[in-house]
Amino acid sequence: RVYRLDRMSRRSRMLPKFRYLSAWFCPYAHRATLALEHHAGAIDYDWVEALGWEQRKDEKNVTGTGKEWWYHWKAPELTRANPSGLVPTLIPIEDGIALEERSVYESLITIDFVDSIANSSDEQRRLVPTDPFLASKCRYWAEKVNRECCSPYYGVLVKTDEE
C-alpha cells in the first residue's frame, strides 16, 4: 500500500523525493517518520507499508492445529532495497525511477541522513546539531532511548502467547 503525503509547500518547488518503506507498528520506523515529518517542507516521500502480518487460513496445516495463523510478509521491494529486509528504508526517486541500490536503512542512520539532506541552515530545525560535542550528546540519548524504550516496546508488540 502506498500513501501519498502531499503538502502545498512540497508542490511549489523541487524537493528530494523518496519511497519510504515502513510499518505502522514498528517503533524504529516511527523515529524515521518523525524525522521525515519534522523536515516535511524540505523532503517529499510516499509512505509504503512494506512489512506486516495477515491472518490466513491454515490450508496446508502449517501450525499443526488446522486453525488460522498469522503470516509475516515483506514487500519484495523491501527485500531488494535492504539486505536485512527491515524497516525503515528510504529509496531515492530520480526522474520517476526508484534507485534501490542507493537506499538508506536503519532508523538512526535514516534520521541522520534525512537531517543532512534537509539542508537546514537553521540550527534550530536540525534534529542532530552540527556541533560535534552536542551531536555526541544527542546520539548518546538516542541510543539510550533505543535500548531502554524502543526495544522493550517492540518486544511487547511481537510477543506471542505460549499455550
Side-chain angles (χ1 to χ4, degrees):
R1 298 176 193 101
V2 177
Y3 303 94
R4 181 85 178 107
L5 303 175
D6 281 323
R7 290 178 176 73
M8 290 302 272
S9 62
R10 289 183 180 181
R11 294 181 196 145
S12 63
R13 61 180 191 262
M14 293 296 291
L15 302 174
K17 174 132 176 97
F18 296 90
R19 287 180 60 77
Y20 175 50
L21 309 185
S22 191
W24 67 267
F25 58 85
C26 180
Y28 305 105
H30 294 167
R31 295 189 295 202
T33 303
L34 289 171
L36 287 164
E37 286 300 305
H38 178 76
H39 290 300
I43 297 169
D44 190 12
Y45 69 95
D46 292 330
W47 175 299
V48 178
E49 193 69 20
L51 182 68
W53 286 271
E54 63 185 39
Q55 200 166 15
R56 293 185 176 180
K57 291 184 179 181
D58 192 6
E59 295 170 352
K60 296 182 181 177
N61 200 26
V62 172
T63 63
T65 65
K67 297 180 182 178
E68 290 184 337
W69 62 298
W70 287 95
Y71 173 76
H72 182 228
W73 60 269
K74 292 183 180 190
E77 182 179 27
L78 178 62
T79 58
R80 288 191 314 265
N82 182 332
S84 300
L86 299 173
V87 296
T89 298
L90 276 177
I91 302 172
I93 305 288
E94 290 182 10
D95 299 322
I97 298 169
L99 304 175
E100 293 176 355
E101 69 281 0
R102 294 189 61 210
S103 61
V104 177
Y105 33 87
E106 297 297 329
S107 62
L108 296 178
I109 294 167
T110 301
I111 291 168
D112 277 343
F113 176 79
V114 167
D115 210 29
S116 294
I117 64 165
N119 292 323
S120 180
S121 57
D122 178 6
E123 189 70 20
Q124 295 294 325
R125 292 287 305 153
R126 293 189 56 83
L127 294 168
V128 179
T130 54
D131 176 271
F133 176 76
L134 294 175
S136 69
K137 294 292 184 190
C138 182
R139 288 185 179 99
Y140 165 80
W141 285 105
E143 182 53 36
K144 187 170 180 62
V145 168
N146 181 54
R147 200 173 42 253
E148 296 179 13
C149 180
C150 290
S151 294
Y153 171 64
Y154 188 73
V156 169
L157 288 175
V158 298
K159 184 175 181 166
T160 58
D161 293 329
E162 298 295 324
E163 292 186 286

